């Protein structure tokens, strides 16, 4: 039975690396995969890239992409063994349900990788639905500078000062975000 998986973590936990490793494992065994990433992330158009240098080509989705129809069409041409979605926090609720339908009706395992919360500690819409309906939830671990598990994403400005307000989504990497434990996240926002 195919399942919908949600692998979630803070920044710098290796979500994209894990996705790329899973994709490699399927393909190494002669299986066919389909990789998706958010068009919103313009840093690497058409690629899933990890900080350690791994990358793979990916289809890009926007908030209007009908993932069910796009994936079922590809599956009809040549059967898919797995669908992998990077930046899953940017999925809409409807898209998450489309991915669940792929697992339930088309029998295709779907592995989603993304952030759980934003820089304010609030759930992303796609993550909220995934946390609610995924068959399996897997927390990947990142490490705070103190050595504790990092669960929060602190947004910083160009000078490294904490950002407390703004749009939920601002694309960036280590230049814009720090993975911190809740204690150090709270302390940074209180300063």
């Amino acid at each position: 039975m195919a399942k919908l998986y949600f692998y979630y973590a803070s920044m710098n936990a290796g979500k994209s690396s894990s996705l790329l490793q899973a994709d490699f494992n399927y393909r190494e065994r002669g299986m066919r995969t389909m990789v998706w990433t958010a068009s919103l992330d313009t840093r690497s158009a058409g690629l899933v890239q990890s900080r350690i240098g791994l990358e793979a080509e990916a289809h890009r989705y926007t908030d209007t992409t009908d993932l069910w129809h796009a994936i079922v069409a590809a599956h009809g041409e040549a059967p898919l063994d797995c669908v992998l979605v990077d930046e899953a926090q940017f999925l809409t609720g409807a898209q998450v349900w489309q991915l669940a339908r792929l697992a339930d009706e088309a029998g295709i395992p779907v592995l989603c990788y993304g952030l759980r919360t934003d820089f304010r500690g609030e759930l992303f819409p796609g993550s909220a639905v995934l946390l609610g309906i995924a068959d399996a939830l897997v927390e990947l671990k990142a490490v705070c500078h103190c050595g504790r598990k990092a669960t929060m994403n602190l947004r910083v400005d160009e000078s490294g000062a904490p950002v407390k307000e703004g749009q939920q989504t601002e694309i960036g990497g280590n230049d814009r975000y720090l993975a911190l434990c809740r204690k150090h996240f709270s302390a940074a926002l209180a300063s």
Side-chain angles (χ1 to χ4, degrees):
M1 175 180 198
K3 293 183 179 181
L4 173 63
Y5 297 84
F6 183 34
Y7 296 85
Y8 65 92
S10 65
M11 300 284 291
N12 300 329
K15 295 177 300 297
S16 296
S17 298
S18 293
L19 178 150
L20 293 166
Q21 182 65 53
D23 179 57
F24 176 82
N25 290 345
Y26 274 94
R27 290 184 296 102
E28 183 180 45
R29 288 161 182 80
M31 297 178 174
R32 189 161 177 264
T33 64
M34 188 174 208
V35 177
W36 289 83
T37 193
S39 290
L40 190 62
D41 188 348
T42 57
R43 293 173 296 170
S44 55
L47 294 174
V48 171
Q49 293 180 312
S50 70
R51 291 177 296 116
I52 61 172
L54 303 173
E55 66 182 31
E57 291 185 19
H59 299 268
R60 299 176 69 198
Y61 68 86
T62 67
D63 60 354
T64 61
T65 303
D66 186 326
L67 293 170
W68 166 260
H69 284 102
I71 296 168
V72 166
H75 185 59
E77 293 175 15
L80 293 167
D81 296 293
C82 185
V83 171
L84 302 104
V85 181
D86 199 31
E87 305 291 353
Q89 70 271 12
F90 298 134
L91 293 165
T92 65
Q95 288 171 325
V96 173
W97 280 100
Q98 291 169 10
L99 295 173
R101 185 176 173 201
L102 284 167
D104 297 342
E105 296 179 25
I108 305 169
V110 179
L111 286 61
C112 296
Y113 296 78
L115 298 172
R116 182 181 61 163
T117 59
D118 66 12
F119 75 105
R120 298 170 296 209
E122 296 176 8
L123 292 171
F124 283 96
S127 301
V129 179
L130 281 162
L131 287 167
I133 71 167
D135 297 299
L137 301 172
V138 181
E139 182 179 24
L140 301 175
K141 306 293 191 282
V143 180
C144 180
H145 61 81
C146 70
R148 294 172 65 189
K149 180 174 72 171
T151 59
M152 310 300 290
N153 303 300
L154 179 71
R155 184 183 292 170
V156 295
D157 64 17
E158 297 79 22
S159 65
V163 174
K164 300 175 185 177
E165 297 180 6
Q167 295 291 324
Q168 183 176 44
T169 301
E170 182 176 313
I171 302 302
N174 292 341
D175 59 325
R176 300 297 294 161
Y177 294 94
L178 298 174
L180 299 174
C181 66
R182 187 178 56 240
K183 176 183 175 181
H184 286 107
F185 174 82
S186 299
L189 291 180
S191 63

